[in-house]
Amino acid sequence: MSAGRRRTVLNVAEKPSVAKSVSGILSRSRGLRVRDGRSRYNRIFEFECSIGVPVHDPSNPSRPRYEYYSSHMLFTSVTGHLMELEFDDRFRKWHSCDPADLYQAPVRKYVPQDKLDIKRTLEEEARKCDCLVLWLDCDREGENIAFEVIEVCTGANPHLEIYRAHFSALTDRDILASVQKLLKPNQLDADAVDARQEIDLRIGASFTRFQTMLLRDAFVLDNALEDRNIVLSYGPCQFPTLGFIVERFWEIQAHEPEEFWTINCSHTSEDVTSTFNWARGHLFDYPCAVILYDMCVEEPTATVIKVSNQERRKYPPFPLSTVELQKRASRFFHMSSEHTMKVAEDLYQSGFISYPRTETDNFSPNMDLQAIVQEQQGHPSWGSYAQRLLDPTGGLWNNPGNGGHDDKAHPPIHPTKFSAGESRWSQDHNRLYELVVRHFLACVSKPAIGAETSVEIDIAGESFTATGRMIIAKNYLEVYRFESWGGSIIPNYALGQKFIPTSLTLDSSITRPPPLLSESDLLSCMDKAGIGTDATMHDHIKKLLDRFYATKDQNTRFSPTNLGQALVMGYDAMGYELWKPNLRANMERDMKAISAGTKRKSDFLQTCLEQTKSCFLDARINKAKLLETMDIFFERSNRYSESTTSDGEIVRTCNQCLESNMMLKRRPDGHFMVGCSRFPLCRNVIWLPGPIISASVTSQVCTMCIPGPVYKIQFNFRRLEIPPNYDANHLGCIGGCDNALKELTEICGTGPRIPSSSSARGRSSMDFSTSANRAGASRQPAYSSNNWPSQSPLAHSGHNDRNQTSGNDGAPVVCNSCGTLCILRTSNTAANRGRKFYSCQSQECNFFMWEDNIENNGTGRGASAHRGVAARRGGRGRGQRGGRSSTSAAGTFVTATGEPLSGGRFVKRTSSPSDSSAKEKRERQNKGCAVVVRQRYL
């Protein structure tokens, strides 16, 4: 581009209001024309202006020289991000793939439907232009939006010359300076944001789909979550933020109050009372405290042993960063971080404050700070203080402190335009503007000065100290009304002076837990751990409230909901610290390294996704832990949506239709199956044993079954519903090689109990090679001696002795409470003398069953009895509130004396289940929380 040649320049701002403000500043006294674009919200401003573009100087490559050109400016805008990152269409539906596939699924950036008009405007205007100047916010997010705009515009005109305007405030000074010194956009900053977007998309989508499909319809959630379309989302920043809230809550729950004692002393002189604090603080040993107190009472004369006078200073705050703005607005005004950023953005776009998203807390030496103070001299509240600041004889001015943070993009937040209050401003706009101005004036003021007097006395060998403070010069505290420097006044004491205390008491108190996290506290935790950025922290907090993982009271203090606790507790029980900040903090450091050019985006993505996918696969295998913790807080639900039966994990390619995958699915009755995803076009299905609590596909491939791959499944069986010589946890294969799984299917059946018969028993066997032509009905044979395999890959040793432990058909009778074999005994009561019954070998169990009831499928006292454990099918298991009635339990229910019981099964309870459900739920919650708390804090 040669000097003097007139160019047409397309300028793009991040928001329509910014485009309007910048156009007004650049076109002043030159004429401004406005026309509509394709989008009615993103208008186009036309005016004449000169611009300065960098030219490479070989003699000084680090500092380019600038050439200036008269240009015809076309100025329009986008509305935030122009593009979205999403999976390819075939992976976007929740049931279209295994969530683990999302870690490798193709992703693409595209312009969504609601922004196509903006895209068309950019394309049409770019074709007319020679240059593209980007006026996006000067942070990493803004840089990423800039490259989205570049992609659209260069697609329409690949010959565009591209430049970047850097500004921190919508003021004449900043805008005019930036247009004369345009720079090149930063690809590294854009890459860092692309990496974060891809990481958040893959991790968030996989875990969100996993836990939503697993838990949403399995439990009756709180009333606020009754919507069937609720999403139990997971986010790499969201969950660590929740973790801070839950951890503090657990710390409070784990606190055990302890009583302590302290000696308090006071002395009144000249109508002024001094309070002396015991040097020991307090003692937890009451006898020791009493002995020391008695010594003081016996010799109560106090002797002044030390008097010191010192000058103290209270320093003003550092310049205002985004996080500090949010924290102080929350502490001073109880404004949420989200609302604070919204109001700050309004003030910025109106030109009253500088850019509100900055990590910098120190001013550049080149900034004219006094010019900013001069603009505030006319304000009715702090104008007189601003005048005193500028008076060189007043000695109030002080160069601001350095907080040690500089993002190299924006200065600290400061006022950029005077206002005594705008008519359209809300109360919060006035409050936040006042905070920004007063904070800035405080930063350039001298610290407050006070005189502090400390007096130490001795009573019977025990030391006590009193401190008094008097403010000599308030300085910055005069304008910064949000802080105070309180202190008590004490009388004058002389070294060696003696006096009798006015009061000397031994008082008791108890230790108290820390308070719940306030929003200011939570922001501090996030900032310290590196969770999120200054511009996104408030979004993560809002997401927790929207998802009902946490609540916030009127004092802006956070408490976790039952759902939030259950999710954190579940992942903690798995042994993964997904709710801890370490993982996300490492990601944030790596993204900063990408921006700095010390780490490649591709390397970061590969390493991070490999680690997270491994964690996801392990979490899915151990999902029973998550179900168990949900059981503590929520009732089980009999409600199943379509997702319950249609979702699944891929086990193998269908060996019948050869077109689709066989998926592990959970049936509407709660039982598991492996079926073809092309149902009903393909009806290939494998019914799995009924007593399965949970099942998840692993990454292990069976080496025996062909054609492969056939992925093994981790099964978790109900211990009391399978024979004692089988493991409750079994890594199995449905390809046909797993004899143990076949035997369990033969023994236990594949669904709810039905009346047993010889025909049912004869139809119970299962062919794992294919079952496409089988009827869909459940097959649940009763146990018989033929059902018990003598050996199996899952068999334990030590349970083959049936002497005095087997029923009439040879099957063992097992206690369903502890799982041990029962002993045959003889009753000697008057009513049942000589009658034989089974009872548990353990004295802690109350299992009881008459021998002659076995033939009638009778059940015993305390729980439903069984040969083996089968008759308990349909009984009340963990998490199944109320249980399912058993159609096969036709025997008589009796007490230990043989007297019949009315109703169904015997339950040792003094009140009805409905009366005690609330108490039981509280006990489950306390028990679950106590386990985690003891492990972590005690």
Side-chain angles (χ1 to χ4, degrees):
M1 186 166 71
S2 59
R5 182 181 174 187
R6 188 172 181 274
R7 290 288 187 173
T8 303
V9 180
L10 174 61
N11 299 265
V12 182
E14 190 164 325
K15 301 175 185 69
S17 60
V18 176
K20 181 179 179 180
S21 297
V22 176
S23 298
I25 294 172
L26 295 180
S27 65
R28 197 158 294 160
S29 74
R30 294 185 180 90
L32 177 67
R33 299 174 299 281
V34 185
R35 58 185 171 88
D36 291 331
R38 292 273 186 174
S39 170
R40 58 175 179 160
Y41 302 108
N42 304 84
R43 308 184 77 186
I44 302 169
F45 304 88
E46 294 190 46
F47 54 92
E48 304 298 320
C49 180
S50 74
I51 63 173
V53 299
V55 179
H56 179 67
D57 186 354
S59 62
N60 190 3
S62 61
R63 187 173 182 179
R65 62 184 180 86
Y66 285 85
E67 293 182 353
Y68 300 92
Y69 303 90
S70 176
S71 306
H72 178 65
M73 307 283 272
L74 306 178
F75 214 122
T76 186
S77 63
V78 292
T79 51
H81 275 282
L82 180 62
M83 296 182 176
E84 293 179 2
L85 185 69
E86 190 53 274
F87 295 108
D88 279 355
D89 290 340
R90 75 184 194 90
F91 293 95
R92 294 183 67 175
K93 292 184 178 179
W94 277 39
H95 309 303
S96 61
C97 67
D98 182 348
D101 293 342
L102 298 179
Y103 288 92
Q104 292 87 28
V107 293
R108 63 186 179 91
K109 268 196 167 185
Y110 72 104
V111 179
Q113 186 70 31
D114 61 337
K115 295 186 177 180
L116 287 178
D117 285 341
I118 299 176
K119 176 176 180 286
R120 295 189 186 102
T121 297
L122 294 177
E123 290 172 336
E124 290 173 359
E125 301 302 325
R127 295 188 184 102
K128 311 172 186 175
C129 298
D130 306 298
C131 301
L132 172 65
V133 178
L134 301 154
W135 296 80
L136 289 308
D137 291 345
C138 298
D139 55 12
R140 287 194 310 209
E141 209 72 31
E143 212 69 27
N144 188 262
I145 300 173
F147 277 88
E148 294 173 357
V149 173
I150 290 172
E151 182 178 337
V152 170
C153 293
T154 55
N157 182 356
H159 304 294
L160 285 172
E161 296 181 16
I162 300 168
Y163 301 100
R164 179 74 156 91
H166 283 262
F167 60 100
S168 296
L170 294 174
T171 61
D172 291 14
R173 182 174 60 248
D174 268 41
I175 298 304
L176 293 174
S178 63
V179 78
Q180 296 302 310
K181 289 189 176 182
L182 300 175
L183 300 172
K184 290 291 185 179
N186 189 332
Q187 180 69 60
L188 294 177
D189 279 345
D191 286 345
V193 176
D194 282 337
R196 177 190 58 77
Q197 288 179 342
E198 185 171 341
I199 287 290
D200 289 351
L201 175 65
R202 295 186 187 277
I203 297 176
S206 59
F207 275 95
T208 297
R209 293 185 189 185
F210 159 66
Q211 64 188 26
T212 300
M213 293 189 293
L214 177 66
L215 304 175
R216 180 175 60 191
D217 292 308
F219 296 91
V220 180
L221 302 177
D222 294 339
N223 291 335
L225 298 174
E226 279 301 309
D227 184 0
R228 291 292 299 278
N229 295 321
I230 192 69
V231 174
L232 304 182
S233 66
Y234 176 94
C237 285
Q238 174 187 339
F239 253 59
T241 305
L242 174 62
F244 291 127
I245 298 172
V246 173
E247 194 165 26
R248 173 58 63 87
F249 184 78
W250 285 349
E251 190 176 350
I252 295 171
Q253 297 296 312
H255 177 76
E256 295 184 3
E258 290 186 78
E259 190 173 11
F260 62 84
W261 289 265
T262 187
I263 300 175
N264 292 315
C265 173
S266 67
H267 178 234
T268 301
S269 175
E270 303 174 0
D271 295 329
V272 177
T273 300
S274 303
T275 299
F276 288 86
N277 298 314
W278 192 19
R280 296 182 187 269
H282 54 258
L283 293 178
F284 291 96
D285 190 324
Y286 177 66
C288 288
V290 170
I291 291 172
L292 294 174
Y293 175 68
D294 287 343
M295 291 170 56
C296 293
V297 171
E298 290 175 1
E299 299 180 13
T301 302
T303 303
V304 178
I305 60 176
K306 185 178 181 181
V307 178
S308 63
N309 296 288
Q310 290 182 319
E311 181 182 279
R312 297 290 186 184
R313 293 173 179 262
K314 183 175 177 65
Y315 289 91
F318 291 123
L320 196 58
S321 65
T322 302
V323 174
E324 201 61 36
L325 173 68
Q326 296 174 5
K327 289 163 60 176
R328 292 176 184 258
S330 173
R331 189 161 63 244
F332 301 152
F333 312 131
H334 287 181
M335 289 173 60
S336 70
S337 54
E338 179 207 7
H339 184 56
T340 297
M341 293 308 298
K342 182 178 183 302
V343 174
E345 186 71 23
D346 288 344
L347 294 174
Y348 161 68
Q349 292 187 29
S350 302
F352 291 99
I353 66 173
S354 62
Y355 189 61
R357 294 182 176 87
T358 176
E359 298 177 8
T360 304
D361 54 11
N362 64 88
F363 285 106
S364 167
N366 299 324
M367 281 193 68
D368 188 353
L369 303 180
Q370 291 199 354
I372 301 174
V373 177
Q374 286 175 356
E375 294 180 348
Q376 300 295 329
Q377 293 183 92
H379 198 279
S381 296
W382 54 77
S384 59
Y385 184 86
Q387 294 172 10
R388 290 173 51 203
L389 265 176
L390 297 174
D391 183 359
T393 62
L396 187 56
W397 181 275
N398 190 55
N399 290 329
N402 187 336
H405 302 91
D406 190 351
D407 61 12
K408 307 298 182 182
H410 297 283
I413 303 169
H414 61 274
T416 55
K417 186 165 65 175
F418 171 80
S419 176
E422 305 298 309
S423 59
R424 64 180 182 82
W425 280 5
S426 67
Q427 183 183 27
D428 289 337
H429 283 77
N430 284 294
R431 284 175 172 175
L432 207 64
Y433 180 74
E434 180 183 359
L435 173 60
V436 171
V437 176
R438 289 185 182 272
H439 194 101
F440 172 76
L441 296 177
C443 288
V444 295
S445 302
K446 284 190 173 180
I449 301 174
E452 186 174 276
T453 300
S454 178
V455 177
E456 185 178 348
I457 63 174
D458 177 273
I459 303 177
E462 293 299 306
S463 295
F464 298 83
T465 304
T467 302
R469 182 185 302 114
M470 181 176 64
I471 298 178
I472 298 174
K474 295 184 69 174
N475 292 336
Y476 90 92
L477 289 176
E478 290 185 41
V479 71
Y480 206 59
R481 65 177 183 84
F482 313 108
E483 289 185 359
S484 61
W485 196 20
S488 59
I489 300 176
I490 62 175
N492 291 322
Y493 291 95
L495 190 66
Q497 177 182 345
K498 297 181 183 295
F499 60 87
I500 300 297
T502 305
S503 68
L504 190 64
T505 60
L506 178 64
D507 300 318
S508 68
S509 186
I510 60 172
T511 59
R512 302 186 183 278
L516 293 168
L517 286 179
S518 66
E519 187 148 8
S520 177
D521 297 331
L522 184 57
L523 287 165
S524 295
C525 291
M526 297 172 70
D527 186 40
K528 183 177 180 180
I531 301 301
T533 63
D534 56 340
T536 61
M537 288 181 184
H538 64 283
D539 289 328
H540 304 315
I541 295 175
K542 181 177 182 297
K543 185 71 73 175
L544 293 181
L545 301 175
D546 291 344
R547 296 303 188 197
F548 201 63
Y549 292 165
T551 58
K552 184 171 67 172
D553 62 23
Q554 60 184 4
N555 295 319
T556 72
R557 295 195 176 274
F558 292 88
S559 299
T561 62
N562 286 344
L563 181 59
Q565 284 194 80
L567 292 173
V568 170
M569 194 182 297
Y571 286 116
D572 186 74
M574 294 178 190
Y576 300 117
E577 295 188 336
L578 295 174
W579 56 282
K580 287 286 192 177
N582 312 71
L583 179 63
R584 185 61 186 195
N586 291 336
M587 291 182 188
E588 293 289 350
R589 282 194 293 269
D590 286 341
M591 284 183 275
K592 287 183 178 179
I594 294 174
S595 291
T598 58
K599 183 181 278 289
R600 292 193 304 175
K601 170 187 168 184
S602 58
D603 293 340
F604 163 68
L605 286 174
Q606 180 180 355
T607 302
C608 183
L609 291 176
E610 284 177 356
Q611 294 174 347
T612 312
K613 181 180 180 180
S614 176
C615 186
F616 172 79
L617 293 174
D618 287 344
R620 190 167 62 179
I621 291 173
N622 293 284
K623 63 185 177 184
K625 299 287 187 181
L626 196 54
L627 293 168
E628 288 174 4
T629 56
M630 288 291 289
D631 265 325
I632 295 172
F633 295 93
F634 299 100
E635 301 288 332
R636 283 279 183 168
S637 172
N638 293 324
R639 180 185 70 192
Y640 291 91
S641 66
E642 292 181 1
S643 64
T644 309
T645 55
S646 61
D647 69 316
E649 303 171 53
I650 298 175
V651 181
R652 67 175 302 174
T653 301
C654 179
N655 55 338
Q656 179 168 310
C657 69
L658 303 178
E659 294 183 12
S660 299
N661 293 318
M662 296 288 286
M663 313 285 288
L664 173 65
K665 303 180 183 181
R666 194 165 192 170
R667 295 154 53 189
D669 59 8
H671 297 278
F672 288 87
M673 58 175 279
V674 176
C676 182
S677 59
R678 290 185 69 231
F679 178 86
L681 299 178
C682 177
R683 296 179 177 270
N684 189 12
V685 64
I686 297 172
W687 306 105
L688 297 174
I692 297 174
I693 298 175
S694 64
S696 59
V697 180
T698 70
S699 58
Q700 298 187 41
V701 177
C702 180
T703 58
M704 299 176 62
C705 295
I706 54 173
V710 179
Y711 293 99
K712 292 187 176 182
I713 302 175
Q714 181 65 52
F715 295 101
N716 185 9
F717 292 92
R718 296 183 185 89
R719 172 72 273 172
L720 303 181
E721 297 187 18
I722 63 172
N725 55 332
Y726 286 81
D727 275 334
N729 295 307
H730 173 54
L731 183 63
C733 174
I734 55 90
C737 66
D738 193 335
N739 293 326
L741 196 59
K742 291 181 183 179
E743 291 163 355
L744 281 174
T745 306
E746 294 287 337
I747 296 170
C748 303
T750 59
R753 289 280 295 168
I754 60 173
S756 60
S757 65
S758 60
S759 60
R761 198 172 286 138
R763 290 186 287 110
S764 64
S765 103
M766 177 166 298
D767 178 10
F768 275 90
S769 59
T770 178
S771 52
N773 298 322
R774 294 169 183 259
S778 299
R779 302 168 176 84
Q780 297 82 15
Y783 285 115
S784 71
S785 59
N786 296 328
N787 290 135
W788 294 91
S790 58
Q791 299 290 333
S792 81
L794 297 173
H796 292 292
S797 61
H799 288 295
N800 295 326
D801 183 8
R802 297 181 181 175
N803 185 28
Q804 299 296 313
T805 62
S806 302
N808 294 337
D809 60 357
V813 178
V814 182
C815 174
N816 70 332
S817 297
C818 63
T820 60
L821 299 181
C822 296
I823 298 177
L824 182 64
R825 305 177 187 272
T826 303
S827 173
N828 59 1
T829 61
N832 296 284
R833 192 176 304 279
R835 192 176 179 187
K836 295 184 181 298
F837 64 93
Y838 286 93
S839 66
C840 183
Q841 301 179 53
S842 173
Q843 296 181 358
E844 298 178 0
C845 300
N846 64 345
F847 177 82
F848 176 91
M849 182 172 61
W850 292 116
E851 182 189 37
D852 52 10
N853 280 345
I854 293 180
E855 296 177 356
N856 298 321
N857 273 338
T859 55
R861 182 187 70 180
S864 52
H866 46 74
R867 283 174 282 171
V869 201
R872 190 179 180 272
R873 292 300 314 279
R876 183 175 178 177
R878 176 174 177 81
Q880 294 174 333
R881 311 298 193 267
R884 299 185 298 269
S885 60
S886 174
T887 59
S888 62
T892 304
F893 291 80
V894 296
T895 64
T897 59
E899 298 174 357
L901 289 172
S902 60
R905 73 184 227 215
F906 179 84
V907 181
K908 189 176 182 180
R909 182 183 282 136
T910 57
S911 60
S912 66
S914 59
D915 294 336
S916 62
S917 60
K919 180 180 178 182
E920 291 176 354
K921 184 174 181 178
R922 286 197 301 273
E923 290 175 350
R924 288 195 305 271
Q925 292 178 358
N926 292 337
K927 181 179 179 182
C929 290
V931 171
V932 176
V933 166
R934 282 198 298 270
Q935 292 174 347
R936 193 162 296 279
Y937 298 106
L938 300 183

